[in-house]
Amino acid sequence: MAKESFDKEIQFLRMLVLTSGAFNRQQFAERLGISVHTFDKTIRRLKEVVSSMHQRLSQEQGKELSETLRYSYYDSTDPLLLFLFRAKSVKESESQRISLLLKSMSERAMTAMELLDVCSCDLPSDQPLPDEKTIRSDLKYLEEVGVIKREPGPRPYRYRIHDDLIRGLTDEELLDLYDFVDIMANTQVPSVQGYLLREGLKKHLQRHQVEPHATETFLYKYHYYSRILDEAHLFALLHAIRHRRRVEFLYFSPKSNKSYAAKNTNPLFAKETVGRIERTLPLKIVYDHQYGRWYLLAYDRAGLRKYRMEGITNIEQGDPVDEAFFEEKVREVEESIEHSWLIDTGQPVTVRARFYHPEGSEPNFIKERVLLQGQWGQIVEEDEHSFIYEITVNGTSEIKPWLRSFGSSCEILEPAQLRREMIAEWKEIQSYYETV
């Protein structure tokens, strides 16, 4: 995974896809909390990546970054985060050195000192020569992300490319694997690791002269941009949860008019940021399929805290906590959201709704969807025209969008307050379509 943070680029791309490029430079910079100069520099960097990815773009398609990203809808919708990994996965000064290391280890297993000799001989003269500490740091990073593996045996350790999967399968088997990874990455969460694997398999198959159409069997359009972009934070938070560590990050509330803040490198020009520093213990991550959002549930001195992942920037790992303390807080969280449709911790309320069977439709897609998505709710009554679904949830705000999504096939029976709210909302929607 990436060695650098790219919070700024994540927020930029999120705004780009949500606004379709409607903001001008000044508006974008203000919303991001950076200068116009920094904004322009970010644009240039992203355009360089686009150019390297799609070198055959026409001049017209290359004019605007927003158009460049959308020139092929199927390509641009899935790997926006991969786009950032290409942009910042390693520093420019590291790219040639790491490429040389990988090429050398693909031929045979090598020690750190042998690799140092290779760099001394083969790196361009204008590139700074690495020392032993730098080479060992590169090897540690590449081993952590699974690109290389250490051979068994005594010191000095020898390293080689970790490509056992590729070597052990035929091209036909690799195509089957590629199709499976393609489907899973586009339909499951989390997905980014799948995209990384898919891209690696695709490049390998193309090097083996596999027909291009063989890797374009499926096309997908149903994607939440935020879901994929926010996965940049997901694995850092999962790592903190797995190792029972606190984290620190700069948080921007969804209600804030800014989503990022430039780092104050010059104290004379430091600006007060609208974000707030949070030091908390991550306990649980929840995904909202209805809106494609990730939520972090955490604990600090104020008790249970909830964060939208899209507002988290500058994550840093903190100190570990006692195992018993961590388990106690996890139990408290599980109890508080036991009846939450998502993460609501309000007072429990029983919701009753009548769902109408579709006329002349087989199979009954309404009932199938309720059974699939209705969580712990139950069908308590049913006749030939409809069925009644009942569930106890912590408040009604989170279940309301799901009920509303059924349209005229769903009627709220209880509680009365929720029924009145739904009636008012449908009347408001109806008013939008009245003759002016």
Side-chain angles (χ1 to χ4, degrees), residues 321-343:
V321 301
D322 180 72
E323 178 74 22
F325 176 81
F326 181 85
E327 295 297 336
E328 177 189 351
K329 296 308 172 186
V330 168
R331 283 195 298 272
E332 291 178 6
V333 167
E334 295 293 352
E335 290 173 2
S336 64
I337 65 171
E338 181 181 1
H339 294 108
S340 300
W341 183 257
L342 190 64
I343 58 171

Short mmCIF file of all heavy atoms in Angstrom, two decimals, residues 321-343:
data_model
loop_
_atom_site.label_atom_id
_atom_site.label_comp_id
_atom_site.label_asym_id
_atom_site.label_seq_id
_atom_site.Cartn_x
_atom_site.Cartn_y
_atom_site.Cartn_z
N VAL A 321 -3.69 -0.12 24.38
CA VAL A 321 -4.43 -0.14 25.64
C VAL A 321 -4.50 -1.57 26.15
O VAL A 321 -4.20 -2.52 25.44
CB VAL A 321 -5.86 0.42 25.46
CG1 VAL A 321 -5.83 1.84 24.94
CG2 VAL A 321 -6.68 -0.47 24.53
N ASP A 322 -4.91 -1.70 27.40
CA ASP A 322 -5.03 -3.01 28.01
C ASP A 322 -6.10 -3.84 27.31
O ASP A 322 -7.16 -3.33 26.96
CB ASP A 322 -5.37 -2.84 29.50
CG ASP A 322 -5.50 -4.17 30.21
OD1 ASP A 322 -4.48 -4.83 30.43
OD2 ASP A 322 -6.66 -4.54 30.53
N GLU A 323 -5.82 -5.13 27.12
CA GLU A 323 -6.76 -6.02 26.42
C GLU A 323 -8.11 -6.07 27.11
O GLU A 323 -9.16 -6.01 26.46
CB GLU A 323 -6.15 -7.42 26.33
CG GLU A 323 -7.04 -8.45 25.67
CD GLU A 323 -7.13 -8.29 24.17
OE1 GLU A 323 -6.22 -7.65 23.59
OE2 GLU A 323 -8.10 -8.78 23.58
N ALA A 324 -8.13 -6.18 28.44
CA ALA A 324 -9.40 -6.25 29.18
C ALA A 324 -10.20 -4.97 29.01
O ALA A 324 -11.43 -5.01 28.85
CB ALA A 324 -9.12 -6.52 30.66
N PHE A 325 -9.52 -3.83 29.04
CA PHE A 325 -10.19 -2.54 28.84
C PHE A 325 -10.81 -2.47 27.45
O PHE A 325 -11.97 -2.04 27.28
CB PHE A 325 -9.19 -1.41 29.04
CG PHE A 325 -9.75 -0.04 28.78
CD1 PHE A 325 -10.50 0.62 29.74
CD2 PHE A 325 -9.51 0.59 27.56
CE1 PHE A 325 -11.02 1.88 29.49
CE2 PHE A 325 -10.03 1.85 27.31
CZ PHE A 325 -10.78 2.50 28.28
N PHE A 326 -10.06 -2.90 26.45
CA PHE A 326 -10.56 -2.88 25.07
C PHE A 326 -11.80 -3.75 24.93
O PHE A 326 -12.81 -3.34 24.34
CB PHE A 326 -9.46 -3.34 24.12
CG PHE A 326 -9.87 -3.33 22.67
CD1 PHE A 326 -9.76 -2.19 21.91
CD2 PHE A 326 -10.36 -4.48 22.07
CE1 PHE A 326 -10.14 -2.18 20.58
CE2 PHE A 326 -10.75 -4.49 20.75
CZ PHE A 326 -10.63 -3.33 20.00
N GLU A 327 -11.74 -4.98 25.43
CA GLU A 327 -12.87 -5.89 25.33
C GLU A 327 -14.10 -5.36 26.04
O GLU A 327 -15.23 -5.52 25.57
CB GLU A 327 -12.50 -7.27 25.89
CG GLU A 327 -11.40 -7.99 25.11
CD GLU A 327 -11.82 -8.30 23.69
OE1 GLU A 327 -13.05 -8.39 23.43
OE2 GLU A 327 -10.94 -8.46 22.83
N GLU A 328 -13.90 -4.69 27.17
CA GLU A 328 -15.02 -4.09 27.90
C GLU A 328 -15.71 -3.02 27.06
O GLU A 328 -16.95 -2.97 26.98
CB GLU A 328 -14.52 -3.48 29.21
CG GLU A 328 -15.61 -2.77 30.01
CD GLU A 328 -15.05 -1.99 31.20
OE1 GLU A 328 -13.84 -2.15 31.50
OE2 GLU A 328 -15.81 -1.23 31.81
N LYS A 329 -14.93 -2.17 26.41
CA LYS A 329 -15.50 -1.10 25.59
C LYS A 329 -16.19 -1.65 24.34
O LYS A 329 -17.21 -1.13 23.90
CB LYS A 329 -14.42 -0.09 25.21
CG LYS A 329 -13.82 0.64 26.40
CD LYS A 329 -14.90 1.26 27.27
CE LYS A 329 -14.38 1.84 28.56
NZ LYS A 329 -15.47 2.32 29.46
N VAL A 330 -15.64 -2.71 23.78
CA VAL A 330 -16.28 -3.34 22.63
C VAL A 330 -17.65 -3.89 23.04
O VAL A 330 -18.64 -3.75 22.30
CB VAL A 330 -15.40 -4.47 22.05
CG1 VAL A 330 -16.18 -5.31 21.05
CG2 VAL A 330 -14.16 -3.87 21.39
N ARG A 331 -17.72 -4.52 24.22
CA ARG A 331 -19.01 -5.03 24.69
C ARG A 331 -20.01 -3.90 24.87
O ARG A 331 -21.20 -4.04 24.54
CB ARG A 331 -18.83 -5.79 26.01
CG ARG A 331 -18.25 -7.19 25.86
CD ARG A 331 -18.44 -8.00 27.15
NE ARG A 331 -17.72 -7.39 28.27
CZ ARG A 331 -16.46 -7.65 28.57
NH1 ARG A 331 -15.76 -8.49 27.82
NH2 ARG A 331 -15.89 -7.07 29.61
N GLU A 332 -19.55 -2.78 25.42
CA GLU A 332 -20.44 -1.64 25.60
C GLU A 332 -20.98 -1.12 24.27
O GLU A 332 -22.16 -0.79 24.15
CB GLU A 332 -19.70 -0.51 26.34
CG GLU A 332 -19.38 -0.83 27.79
CD GLU A 332 -18.60 0.29 28.47
OE1 GLU A 332 -18.42 1.36 27.83
OE2 GLU A 332 -18.16 0.10 29.62
N VAL A 333 -20.12 -1.08 23.27
CA VAL A 333 -20.55 -0.63 21.95
C VAL A 333 -21.57 -1.59 21.37
O VAL A 333 -22.62 -1.19 20.85
CB VAL A 333 -19.35 -0.48 21.00
CG1 VAL A 333 -19.82 -0.33 19.55
CG2 VAL A 333 -18.51 0.71 21.39
N GLU A 334 -21.30 -2.89 21.45
CA GLU A 334 -22.21 -3.89 20.89
C GLU A 334 -23.58 -3.81 21.56
O GLU A 334 -24.62 -3.95 20.92
CB GLU A 334 -21.61 -5.29 21.05
CG GLU A 334 -20.33 -5.53 20.26
CD GLU A 334 -20.55 -5.54 18.77
OE1 GLU A 334 -21.72 -5.51 18.32
OE2 GLU A 334 -19.55 -5.56 18.03
N GLU A 335 -23.59 -3.59 22.87
CA GLU A 335 -24.86 -3.47 23.59
C GLU A 335 -25.61 -2.21 23.17
O GLU A 335 -26.83 -2.24 23.01
CB GLU A 335 -24.60 -3.45 25.10
CG GLU A 335 -24.14 -4.80 25.65
CD GLU A 335 -23.73 -4.71 27.11
OE1 GLU A 335 -23.84 -3.60 27.69
OE2 GLU A 335 -23.27 -5.73 27.67
N SER A 336 -24.89 -1.12 22.98
CA SER A 336 -25.55 0.15 22.65
C SER A 336 -26.13 0.16 21.24
O SER A 336 -27.08 0.89 20.96
CB SER A 336 -24.57 1.31 22.82
OG SER A 336 -23.51 1.21 21.89
N ILE A 337 -25.54 -0.63 20.32
CA ILE A 337 -26.06 -0.65 18.95
C ILE A 337 -26.76 -1.97 18.62
O ILE A 337 -26.99 -2.28 17.45
CB ILE A 337 -24.92 -0.39 17.93
CG1 ILE A 337 -23.89 -1.52 17.97
CG2 ILE A 337 -24.28 0.96 18.16
CD1 ILE A 337 -22.86 -1.43 16.85
N GLU A 338 -27.10 -2.74 19.67
CA GLU A 338 -27.74 -4.04 19.44
C GLU A 338 -28.98 -3.91 18.58
O GLU A 338 -29.26 -4.77 17.74
CB GLU A 338 -28.08 -4.69 20.78
CG GLU A 338 -28.71 -6.06 20.65
CD GLU A 338 -29.07 -6.67 21.99
OE1 GLU A 338 -28.84 -6.02 23.04
OE2 GLU A 338 -29.59 -7.81 22.00
N HIS A 339 -29.76 -2.85 18.79
CA HIS A 339 -30.99 -2.64 18.01
C HIS A 339 -30.86 -1.46 17.06
O HIS A 339 -31.86 -0.83 16.70
CB HIS A 339 -32.18 -2.45 18.95
CG HIS A 339 -32.52 -3.65 19.76
ND1 HIS A 339 -32.28 -3.74 21.12
CD2 HIS A 339 -33.04 -4.85 19.41
CE1 HIS A 339 -32.66 -4.92 21.56
NE2 HIS A 339 -33.13 -5.62 20.54
N SER A 340 -29.63 -1.15 16.66
CA SER A 340 -29.42 -0.05 15.71
C SER A 340 -29.54 -0.58 14.29
O SER A 340 -28.93 -1.59 13.94
CB SER A 340 -28.03 0.57 15.91
OG SER A 340 -27.90 1.09 17.21
N TRP A 341 -30.31 0.11 13.47
CA TRP A 341 -30.35 -0.23 12.05
C TRP A 341 -28.96 -0.04 11.45
O TRP A 341 -28.51 -0.79 10.61
CB TRP A 341 -31.36 0.65 11.33
CG TRP A 341 -31.53 0.33 9.88
CD1 TRP A 341 -31.02 1.01 8.83
CD2 TRP A 341 -32.27 -0.77 9.33
NE1 TRP A 341 -31.38 0.41 7.65
CE2 TRP A 341 -32.16 -0.69 7.93
CE3 TRP A 341 -33.01 -1.81 9.88
CZ2 TRP A 341 -32.77 -1.60 7.07
CZ3 TRP A 341 -33.61 -2.72 9.02
CH2 TRP A 341 -33.49 -2.62 7.65
N LEU A 342 -28.25 0.98 11.97
CA LEU A 342 -26.88 1.24 11.55
C LEU A 342 -26.01 1.51 12.78
O LEU A 342 -25.35 0.62 13.29
CB LEU A 342 -26.84 2.42 10.57
CG LEU A 342 -25.51 2.66 9.86
CD1 LEU A 342 -25.16 1.48 8.96
CD2 LEU A 342 -25.58 3.96 9.05
N ILE A 343 -26.02 2.76 13.28
CA ILE A 343 -25.21 3.10 14.46
C ILE A 343 -25.99 3.95 15.45
O ILE A 343 -25.39 4.51 16.37
CB ILE A 343 -23.91 3.84 14.05
CG1 ILE A 343 -24.25 5.11 13.27
CG2 ILE A 343 -22.99 2.93 13.26
CD1 ILE A 343 -23.05 6.01 13.02
#
